[in-house]
Short mmCIF file of all heavy atoms in Angstrom, two decimals:
data_model
loop_
_atom_site.label_atom_id
_atom_site.label_comp_id
_atom_site.label_asym_id
_atom_site.label_seq_id
_atom_site.Cartn_x
_atom_site.Cartn_y
_atom_site.Cartn_z
N LEU A 158 18.95 -2.84 2.98
CA LEU A 158 19.67 -2.44 4.19
C LEU A 158 20.85 -3.38 4.41
O LEU A 158 20.93 -4.46 3.81
CB LEU A 158 18.71 -2.44 5.38
CG LEU A 158 17.46 -1.57 5.18
CD1 LEU A 158 16.59 -1.58 6.42
CD2 LEU A 158 17.82 -0.15 4.78
N TYR A 159 21.75 -2.96 5.28
CA TYR A 159 23.02 -3.67 5.41
C TYR A 159 23.16 -4.38 6.75
O TYR A 159 22.83 -3.86 7.81
CB TYR A 159 24.20 -2.70 5.21
CG TYR A 159 24.59 -2.64 3.76
CD1 TYR A 159 23.72 -2.08 2.82
CD2 TYR A 159 25.78 -3.17 3.30
CE1 TYR A 159 24.05 -2.05 1.48
CE2 TYR A 159 26.13 -3.14 1.96
CZ TYR A 159 25.26 -2.58 1.05
OH TYR A 159 25.58 -2.56 -0.28
N SER A 160 23.66 -5.61 6.64
CA SER A 160 24.06 -6.40 7.79
C SER A 160 25.55 -6.69 7.62
O SER A 160 26.20 -6.14 6.74
CB SER A 160 23.25 -7.69 7.87
OG SER A 160 23.53 -8.41 9.03
N SER A 161 26.11 -7.56 8.46
CA SER A 161 27.53 -7.85 8.35
C SER A 161 27.75 -9.20 7.68
O SER A 161 26.95 -10.12 7.82
CB SER A 161 28.17 -7.87 9.74
OG SER A 161 29.54 -8.16 9.63
N GLY A 162 28.85 -9.30 6.95
CA GLY A 162 29.24 -10.57 6.33
C GLY A 162 30.18 -11.34 7.23
O GLY A 162 30.50 -10.94 8.34
N THR A 163 30.65 -12.46 6.73
CA THR A 163 31.52 -13.32 7.53
C THR A 163 32.84 -12.65 7.84
O THR A 163 33.51 -13.00 8.81
CB THR A 163 31.78 -14.64 6.78
OG1 THR A 163 32.32 -14.34 5.48
CG2 THR A 163 30.49 -15.41 6.60
N THR A 164 33.27 -11.70 7.04
CA THR A 164 34.53 -11.00 7.30
C THR A 164 34.34 -9.78 8.16
O THR A 164 35.30 -9.10 8.49
CB THR A 164 35.16 -10.55 5.97
OG1 THR A 164 34.28 -9.58 5.35
CG2 THR A 164 35.36 -11.71 5.03
N GLY A 165 33.11 -9.48 8.53
CA GLY A 165 32.85 -8.29 9.31
C GLY A 165 32.48 -7.09 8.46
O GLY A 165 32.03 -6.09 8.98
N ARG A 166 32.68 -7.15 7.11
CA ARG A 166 32.28 -6.05 6.25
C ARG A 166 30.78 -6.12 6.04
O ARG A 166 30.20 -7.19 5.86
CB ARG A 166 32.99 -6.13 4.90
CG ARG A 166 34.50 -6.05 4.96
CD ARG A 166 34.99 -4.76 5.56
NE ARG A 166 34.64 -3.58 4.78
CZ ARG A 166 35.37 -3.10 3.77
NH1 ARG A 166 36.49 -3.72 3.40
NH2 ARG A 166 34.99 -2.00 3.13
N PRO A 167 30.10 -4.98 6.05
CA PRO A 167 28.64 -4.99 5.87
C PRO A 167 28.24 -5.59 4.53
O PRO A 167 28.95 -5.45 3.53
CB PRO A 167 28.29 -3.50 5.93
CG PRO A 167 29.40 -2.87 6.69
CD PRO A 167 30.62 -3.64 6.32
N LYS A 168 27.08 -6.26 4.53
CA LYS A 168 26.54 -6.89 3.32
C LYS A 168 25.13 -6.39 3.08
O LYS A 168 24.31 -6.33 4.00
CB LYS A 168 26.53 -8.42 3.47
CG LYS A 168 27.89 -9.04 3.75
CD LYS A 168 28.86 -8.88 2.60
CE LYS A 168 30.19 -9.56 2.89
NZ LYS A 168 31.18 -9.33 1.82
N GLY A 169 24.83 -6.04 1.84
CA GLY A 169 23.50 -5.58 1.49
C GLY A 169 22.53 -6.74 1.39
O GLY A 169 22.79 -7.73 0.70
N ILE A 170 21.40 -6.62 2.08
CA ILE A 170 20.39 -7.68 2.09
C ILE A 170 19.38 -7.35 0.99
O ILE A 170 18.63 -6.38 1.09
CB ILE A 170 19.71 -7.77 3.46
CG1 ILE A 170 20.77 -8.13 4.52
CG2 ILE A 170 18.59 -8.79 3.44
CD1 ILE A 170 20.33 -7.87 5.92
N LYS A 171 19.40 -8.16 -0.05
CA LYS A 171 18.70 -7.81 -1.29
C LYS A 171 17.56 -8.76 -1.60
O LYS A 171 17.74 -9.97 -1.69
CB LYS A 171 19.70 -7.79 -2.45
CG LYS A 171 19.14 -7.22 -3.75
CD LYS A 171 20.23 -7.08 -4.79
CE LYS A 171 19.72 -6.39 -6.04
NZ LYS A 171 20.77 -6.24 -7.07
N LEU A 172 16.39 -8.17 -1.80
CA LEU A 172 15.22 -8.89 -2.27
C LEU A 172 14.96 -8.52 -3.72
O LEU A 172 15.22 -7.39 -4.13
CB LEU A 172 13.99 -8.52 -1.43
CG LEU A 172 13.90 -9.13 -0.03
CD1 LEU A 172 12.83 -8.42 0.77
CD2 LEU A 172 13.59 -10.61 -0.13
N PRO A 173 14.47 -9.45 -4.51
CA PRO A 173 14.15 -9.10 -5.90
C PRO A 173 12.96 -8.15 -5.97
O PRO A 173 12.06 -8.21 -5.12
CB PRO A 173 13.81 -10.45 -6.53
CG PRO A 173 13.38 -11.32 -5.39
CD PRO A 173 14.18 -10.87 -4.21
N LEU A 174 12.97 -7.25 -6.93
CA LEU A 174 11.83 -6.38 -7.15
C LEU A 174 10.67 -7.21 -7.72
O LEU A 174 10.88 -8.14 -8.50
CB LEU A 174 12.19 -5.25 -8.12
CG LEU A 174 13.28 -4.28 -7.63
CD1 LEU A 174 13.65 -3.30 -8.74
CD2 LEU A 174 12.83 -3.54 -6.39
N THR A 175 9.46 -6.86 -7.32
CA THR A 175 8.30 -7.67 -7.70
C THR A 175 7.75 -7.31 -9.07
O THR A 175 7.03 -8.11 -9.69
CB THR A 175 7.17 -7.50 -6.67
OG1 THR A 175 6.72 -6.13 -6.70
CG2 THR A 175 7.66 -7.85 -5.27
N GLY A 176 8.03 -6.10 -9.55
CA GLY A 176 7.43 -5.65 -10.80
C GLY A 176 6.05 -5.07 -10.63
O GLY A 176 5.46 -4.56 -11.59
N ALA A 177 5.54 -5.09 -9.38
CA ALA A 177 4.21 -4.53 -9.13
C ALA A 177 4.26 -3.01 -9.12
O ALA A 177 5.30 -2.41 -8.91
CB ALA A 177 3.68 -5.05 -7.79
N GLN A 178 3.11 -2.39 -9.36
CA GLN A 178 2.97 -0.95 -9.24
C GLN A 178 2.52 -0.60 -7.82
O GLN A 178 1.84 -1.39 -7.16
CB GLN A 178 1.92 -0.44 -10.24
CG GLN A 178 2.33 -0.62 -11.69
CD GLN A 178 3.27 0.47 -12.17
OE1 GLN A 178 3.02 1.65 -12.00
NE2 GLN A 178 4.38 0.05 -12.78
N VAL A 179 2.89 0.60 -7.35
CA VAL A 179 2.39 1.02 -6.05
C VAL A 179 0.90 1.30 -6.18
O VAL A 179 0.39 1.62 -7.25
CB VAL A 179 3.12 2.28 -5.53
CG1 VAL A 179 4.59 2.02 -5.36
CG2 VAL A 179 2.89 3.47 -6.44
#
Side-chain angles (χ1 to χ4, degrees):
L158 305 182
Y159 270 67
S160 185
S161 179
T163 56
T164 64
R166 299 300 297 273
K168 302 294 182 184
I170 298 164
K171 189 173 185 180
L172 284 166
L174 297 174
T175 64
Q178 295 279 310
V179 299

